[in-house]
Amino acid sequence: MDPDPKLIQGCLNKDPKAQEAIYRLYAPIMYGVCLRYARNHMEAEDILQDGFIKVFMFLKDYRHEGSFGGWVHRTFINTAINYYRLKAKEQADLSLDNLEFTASVDENIIDTISTNELLGLIQELPEGYRMVFNLSIIEGYSHKEIASMLDIKESTSKSQLSRARGVLQNKILQLKSNRK
Amino acid sequence: MSGENKYIDKVLKQKFENFMPEPPESVWLKIKQKIGGQPGNPLSGNHIIMPVITGIALLMALIAILINIQSDRYLSFTRTHDSEPVFYASANIDDAVNIQYAYNTASQNSSNANQEKLNPYFNSSDKITEQESNKQTQNIKVRKPLVINPPGLAANIQELVEAPVLQSVTEENKVLVVTDPASDISQLATGFQMDKQNTGSGIHLAGNFNNASLAERPSSLQEAYNDYLNDHKPGWSFGLFFNPEMIFYNADGISQNKSYGVDLNAYYKFSDYFIQTGLGIKITNDWGNYHIDYNEYLGSYEHVYEVTFDSTNQGIIPTYHTYTLDVYDSINHLKITEAKARYTYFELPILFGYGKRLHKFSYYISGGPNISFLLDKKLEGITYPEEQVRIVNVDRKVPVRLNTNWQLLLRIGLGYNLNDNFSLMIEPTFKYYMKSEYDFSNQSSRPYSFGARVGIIYHLNK
């Protein structure tokens, strides 16, 4: 979904109307992305705000080598990664002892839970797990690529995804049992 | 990855495919507020910069004007008080000995009937009483003294008597100060048989002065005096410098970086002060990598976009209108390639300084704001995936630099004077960044840099 090139040019010329149009076009999609990477709505709004400011500030760097939507999406992922790095520093002492692997969840259960419920569970994941989970499962990056993006080892990315899956499955099962 | 996981992952991904919640309206209002001040203008990113720069520039201009006004006042003052020759010496030991002399008046008086009265000051055999001396002298505050400072210059009383005053002092430069910390003020007082007056800053000597015995003054003193006049004449100098620097950051990913620059500076010197500005070009590099998101090429097929039918004798024949459509996978792949970014800055310093020239050597200290504008950036080293791919996005993973930054700059200059016109300089430099070169959100303190400029200065008015 790429906008009219005139809108992009308008943003380059700092036209407020063009900037608002671009915002209105991409804000819902990117807010969805931000919510996945954030722990809550407040963090997601912060990332959304920072991401759009970067989009408008560095639009001149967009070289039309790919889709504009892809560039915006990537800008938001980078913003989320930077946000995560800051948070990771602040929460370096986060205890992961209570996180355990469990048996795999029945895939049919996932179908029965809503996107918002799933989002809530993802947001409850520890920072590192959530980042790797999003980048791998939702965005489709390989572990090598994720390792490079997050400045971690490939093996760390793999283990974090594995643990993220386990934790998420636990949470899904728990959600399901609470419903009964 | 097991098949079960693959299926779950697919389901999870699908859950978010059309997930587009509306963000609160307040987010756009905040964004609008933040981007409102950023359009194009490299200085508008920080509203404080322009007023600060303007303020500093105005302050410097004001100082320069005040100094010139003070100078003019002094000249006027001496003209109104030059009814008789004045000899003035101040024995503030830190500043050494000051002598002030009004040449024109002395010349006039030397031809009148008071000649005899004036002569004794240069003849140790003649005596003058303290009372008489007081009648004949005025202590005029030296506001803009001329300085001669060869070591040991004034140690010998006779040499001091022969100080290069009379014939060299011009209408505009009626004041001469000879400095020599080694001089003994008491000895001077005795030698000149002058008054002693205690003041807050030390002993002041005062007496009339006569040019009768100054015909044979040492040539070294004349040279020193000429040097002095040259050094204190207002005028322009121009410098060309090579400027290597090392900048230190306190932020994730970057700890230090090097830069090289060439500066062309202009100095306007008045008395011992100067204002310096100019232009500089600074080049620095960042290293990082590119992240190229792409989709792999899977193949192509002829896509039918229209079918037409023609009736012929053989019946209806369909015609298929097609074009070749490339097919790519829907998974994002990432290629990471090392990259180098070269940045060119234009630098504009506005400095105020103070300096001294000591024969072959000179030194000065200067400080003020230095503004840097990002002129150009060149990105090198990017290599795209060789196979046929569809580029989704290219993301530069090198630090983001801001279009403008400014620093407070402090320089200490040490110079070797090759001749009257040229000086070789070395200038240790310290910069404290008031605004960083980078768009750091995780910077705990402001960057700073150390450098050592080397170059040559041409003094225009010598």
Side-chain angles (χ1 to χ4, degrees):
Chain A
M1 181 179 57
D2 273 7
D4 187 331
K6 284 179 185 171
L7 274 184
I8 299 177
Q9 191 54 48
C11 289
L12 285 169
N13 295 336
K14 318 293 180 192
D15 176 3
K17 284 182 181 171
Q19 288 172 331
E20 183 164 2
I22 289 287
Y23 173 80
R24 301 284 173 209
L25 183 63
Y26 286 105
I29 308 168
M30 295 310 146
Y31 190 44
V33 173
C34 296
L35 280 168
R36 279 192 286 109
Y37 283 89
R39 280 184 306 180
N40 50 48
H41 284 257
M42 271 177 62
E43 280 189 6
E45 287 167 22
D46 283 350
I47 298 170
L48 185 71
Q49 183 184 319
D50 289 353
F52 269 111
I53 288 167
K54 282 186 179 166
V55 165
F56 292 131
M57 272 183 79
F58 302 114
L59 188 58
K60 57 186 181 301
D61 290 345
Y62 171 59
R63 285 171 288 170
H64 304 273
E65 284 164 341
S67 76
F68 182 73
W71 180 79
V72 172
H73 189 103
R74 188 56 194 274
T75 301
F76 273 85
I77 291 177
N78 283 340
T79 309
I81 289 171
N82 287 337
Y83 194 89
Y84 150 73
R85 283 187 176 140
L86 279 178
K87 287 285 167 191
K89 260 190 172 180
E90 291 168 9
Q91 299 172 0
D93 59 342
L94 178 72
S95 171
L96 303 177
D97 295 343
N98 58 341
L99 304 174
E100 295 174 0
F101 258 130
T102 63
S104 64
V105 68
D106 180 358
E107 57 265 27
N108 294 326
I109 296 176
I110 301 174
D111 283 334
T112 65
I113 60 174
S114 70
T115 304
N116 278 332
E117 284 175 321
L118 185 60
L119 178 69
L121 300 181
I122 291 172
Q123 286 180 336
E124 287 175 10
L125 289 174
E127 302 285 352
Y129 292 9
R130 191 168 65 249
M131 297 303 295
V132 174
F133 178 84
N134 274 311
L135 290 170
S136 173
I137 306 299
I138 313 294
E139 316 290 356
Y141 288 112
S142 71
H143 287 296
K144 189 178 175 186
E145 292 162 347
I146 294 167
S148 168
M149 292 162 92
L150 298 180
D151 288 334
I152 56 176
K153 288 180 184 170
E154 205 176 321
S155 58
T156 308
S157 173
K158 283 179 185 171
S159 67
Q160 291 216 338
L161 178 63
S162 179
R163 282 170 175 263
R165 271 205 186 100
V167 173
L168 197 60
Q169 286 168 7
N170 263 349
K171 287 179 181 294
I172 290 170
L173 287 173
Q174 204 175 349
L175 181 74
K176 199 71 185 169
S177 64
N178 287 345
R179 279 184 184 169
K180 288 177 183 175
Chain B
M1 186 191 292
S2 70
E4 184 187 328
N5 273 346
K6 269 189 179 175
Y7 177 75
I8 293 172
D9 291 351
K10 193 180 169 188
V11 172
L12 287 170
K13 188 173 180 178
Q14 282 171 351
K15 285 272 180 193
F16 289 104
E17 269 176 2
N18 294 311
F19 182 55
M20 292 188 285
E22 275 297 326
E25 190 59 25
S26 61
V27 177
W28 168 241
L29 295 176
K30 285 179 192 170
I31 294 168
K32 200 162 75 167
Q33 194 179 8
K34 290 215 172 182
I35 61 176
Q38 290 171 347
N41 182 356
L43 288 181
S44 59
N46 187 340
H47 298 293
I48 299 171
I49 293 176
M50 277 311 289
V52 168
I53 291 170
T54 309
I56 291 169
L58 286 174
L59 187 65
M60 286 178 173
L62 189 65
I63 290 168
I65 290 165
L66 281 174
I67 288 170
N68 280 331
I69 287 172
Q70 292 289 354
S71 171
D72 290 344
R73 278 181 186 165
Y74 162 69
L75 290 174
S76 303
F77 181 75
T78 54
R79 286 192 188 105
T80 59
H81 289 75
D82 60 4
S83 56
E84 55 184 3
V86 174
F87 181 100
Y88 176 84
S90 169
N92 182 340
I93 296 303
D94 289 337
D95 296 328
V97 180
N98 301 310
I99 300 173
Q100 177 175 311
Y101 176 73
Y103 168 70
N104 286 345
T105 310
S107 299
Q108 289 165 12
N109 288 342
S110 63
S111 61
N112 66 21
N114 289 330
Q115 178 66 47
E116 216 174 308
K117 203 173 181 181
L118 298 172
N119 280 339
Y121 289 92
F122 295 95
N123 184 345
S124 59
S125 62
D126 294 333
K127 301 292 180 188
I128 184 169
T129 65
E130 193 169 310
Q131 191 178 7
E132 283 171 334
S133 173
N134 281 337
K135 285 177 187 172
Q136 294 168 2
T137 60
Q138 297 175 30
N139 287 333
I140 299 172
K141 181 68 177 173
V142 178
R143 289 183 183 276
K144 188 182 176 186
L146 307 182
V147 178
I148 296 175
N149 191 23
L153 169 67
N156 181 300
I157 297 305
Q158 189 58 36
E159 281 189 2
L160 183 61
V161 169
E162 294 171 352
V165 181
L166 296 178
Q167 293 175 16
S168 300
V169 175
T170 63
E171 177 72 23
E172 289 75 27
N173 295 299
K174 292 181 177 178
V175 178
L176 175 69
V177 174
V178 178
T179 66
D180 180 10
S183 298
D184 182 342
I185 196 72
S186 302
Q187 191 185 13
L188 285 176
T190 307
F192 283 108
Q193 302 171 15
M194 292 183 299
D195 307 332
K196 288 183 186 176
Q197 298 175 358
N198 289 319
T199 70
S201 61
I203 305 166
H204 287 193
L205 305 178
N208 284 344
F209 201 69
N210 187 288
N211 65 350
S213 58
L214 297 183
E216 296 177 4
R217 60 180 172 276
S219 60
S220 61
L221 296 183
Q222 182 66 50
E223 286 171 14
Y225 180 64
N226 288 341
D227 279 351
Y228 168 75
L229 286 180
N230 277 335
D231 287 346
H232 288 72
K233 199 192 305 179
W236 288 91
S237 300
F238 299 93
L240 182 65
F241 293 89
F242 173 64
N243 186 16
E245 279 184 357
M246 179 72 84
I247 179 167
F248 297 88
Y249 304 93
N250 193 357
D252 280 353
I254 302 174
S255 56
Q256 59 193 51
N257 205 350
K258 285 178 283 189
S259 71
Y260 303 94
V262 176
D263 299 340
L264 185 61
N265 291 157
Y267 304 80
Y268 181 72
K269 190 178 176 190
F270 46 97
S271 184
D272 290 330
Y273 301 94
F274 62 88
I275 291 176
Q276 177 194 339
T277 185
L279 54 91
I281 297 293
K282 184 176 86 170
I283 293 173
T284 186
N285 298 316
D286 280 335
W287 283 265
N289 48 49
Y290 284 94
H291 288 194
I292 304 166
D293 295 285
Y294 64 95
N295 298 137
E296 279 183 354
Y297 178 70
L298 298 178
S300 65
Y301 68 93
E302 293 301 311
H303 179 70
V304 179
Y305 64 92
E306 192 177 10
V307 182
T308 56
F309 298 92
D310 295 318
S311 299
T312 63
N313 292 335
Q314 285 85 31
I316 296 173
I317 298 175
T319 305
Y320 296 94
H321 301 268
T322 64
Y323 61 85
T324 306
L325 193 65
D326 292 335
V327 180
Y328 298 88
D329 65 8
S330 58
I331 299 171
N332 275 357
H333 298 276
L334 180 68
K335 179 179 171 64
I336 297 172
T337 171
E338 282 197 352
K340 177 179 155 185
R342 168 168 288 194
Y343 298 90
T344 307
Y345 284 92
F346 169 72
E347 304 228 292
L348 178 66
I350 305 170
L351 309 182
F352 184 74
Y354 173 84
K356 285 274 192 188
R357 181 177 168 126
L358 306 168
H359 288 291
K360 280 291 180 187
F361 296 96
S362 54
Y363 65 88
Y364 64 82
I365 183 166
S366 61
N370 182 59
I371 312 157
S372 303
F373 301 98
L374 183 58
L375 280 188
D376 183 48
K377 60 181 171 187
K378 277 188 181 167
L379 308 168
E380 301 167 4
I382 183 166
T383 52
Y384 289 96
E386 287 176 6
E387 61 270 33
Q388 189 179 353
V389 297
R390 180 174 63 190
I391 303 290
V392 177
N393 183 47
V394 178
D395 187 40
R396 204 178 62 214
K397 294 280 283 182
V398 289
V400 178
R401 284 182 178 253
L402 300 174
N403 285 332
T404 181
N405 68 82
W406 72 287
Q407 317 97 47
L408 288 179
L409 190 156
L410 182 67
R411 277 199 190 118
I412 297 170
L414 302 169
Y416 177 75
N417 305 317
L418 296 171
N419 52 42
D420 284 349
N421 291 105
F422 288 98
S423 302
L424 293 177
M425 305 299 298
I426 180 165
E427 297 179 350
T429 300
F430 174 75
K431 284 181 187 170
Y432 183 73
Y433 283 70
M434 303 306 291
K435 185 179 176 187
S436 175
E437 293 175 307
Y438 293 102
D439 181 23
F440 282 143
S441 56
N442 58 343
Q443 186 169 305
S444 55
S445 60
R446 286 178 173 150
Y448 56 91
S449 73
F450 292 101
R453 289 206 320 170
V454 289
I456 189 162
I457 289 184
Y458 174 70
H459 307 285
L460 191 62
N461 291 340
K462 294 213 169 180

